[in-house]
Amino acid sequence: MSGFGEVFASVVVAIDTTVPLEKRPAGGEAAASHASTREKEGDTMTDAREVRDKYTAAFNVHDMDALLRTVSPTGVTVSPEGLSQGHEELASYIGQFWEAFPDVHAMVVESFDVGDVAIDELLMVGTHKGPYMMPDGQVITPTGRPVSLRCCYVCTVENGLIVSLRLYFDQLELRAQLGVPCE
């Protein structure tokens, strides 16, 4: 596991949303740094971790084709926003999220691997610059507010592809950061 100082330094960099997306460390760099820390500590990278890190790297550089290459064509994603199955639905969901938060970047804080499952605790950092549909169907118009949302991904991999991806985050925390009161 990485030390508190290393994690804290990563978080401070991730929260600086004034740095344009193209000038931030690429997701691949973050994943490579994370992997090299694991190797120094004697951990071996599982197939699930390798695939999950590729997904995160593609997400961070907004490369939909690379991201979809990590997911089974019949893969299922569950999040507070709903359920998606297959590439078309996942691409639509992520595309809408990237539109709402065009500079979004996922910074892995901690990760755990158990067999074919990779679990990540991360910060999802970005600026609300486009319409965002809440789980209840309410569309929040752009607020220009920065967000730093604590999340957890649980990812199951089979035959080198993600077959199940579950995302958890505190919806009230997101609403508060966007300045949207609960009704």
Side-chain angles (χ1 to χ4, degrees):
M1 294 191 191
S2 57
F4 176 77
E6 292 171 279
V7 172
F8 184 75
S10 295
V11 171
V12 171
V13 170
I15 293 174
D16 185 3
T17 58
T18 61
V19 177
L21 180 63
E22 61 275 3
K23 294 194 178 191
R24 292 185 192 169
E29 293 172 26
S33 171
H34 181 67
S36 65
T37 299
R38 294 175 59 86
E39 290 165 9
K40 283 185 233 172
E41 295 169 356
D43 293 345
T44 58
M45 187 177 298
T46 65
D47 288 343
R49 169 59 42 211
E50 186 176 341
V51 172
R52 177 69 186 125
D53 285 350
K54 286 179 183 177
Y55 177 98
T56 301
F59 179 88
N60 283 345
V61 296
H62 297 205
D63 184 341
M64 186 66 73
D65 291 333
L67 184 143
L68 293 176
R69 283 193 300 272
T70 67
V71 179
S72 167
T74 59
V76 175
T77 303
V78 179
S79 74
E81 287 93 351
L83 174 75
S84 67
Q85 183 167 10
H87 284 178
E88 187 175 321
E89 289 180 10
L90 179 60
S92 175
Y93 163 71
I94 291 176
Q96 289 174 20
F97 193 79
W98 285 344
E99 180 183 350
F101 302 95
D103 61 346
V104 70
H105 183 82
M107 176 60 75
V108 176
V109 175
E110 194 63 70
S111 65
F112 306 93
D113 308 333
V114 180
D116 63 355
V117 177
I119 303 166
D120 289 333
E121 176 187 358
L122 52 87
L123 286 176
M124 197 77 69
V125 179
T127 310
H128 183 217
K129 294 184 177 182
Y132 177 66
M133 186 181 310
M134 295 295 292
D136 64 1
Q138 175 188 9
V139 176
I140 300 172
T141 58
T143 63
R145 290 178 174 229
V147 296
S148 178
L149 188 63
R150 293 170 295 148
C151 304
C152 179
Y153 270 108
V154 180
C155 173
T156 304
V157 172
E158 292 177 4
N159 300 318
L161 294 173
I162 296 169
V163 294
S164 171
L165 186 62
R166 296 173 309 279
L167 169 64
Y168 302 96
F169 64 85
D170 185 338
Q171 297 172 54
L172 294 177
E173 180 182 7
L174 178 59
R175 290 181 80 96
Q177 289 185 33
L178 294 177
V180 178
C182 295
E183 297 174 9

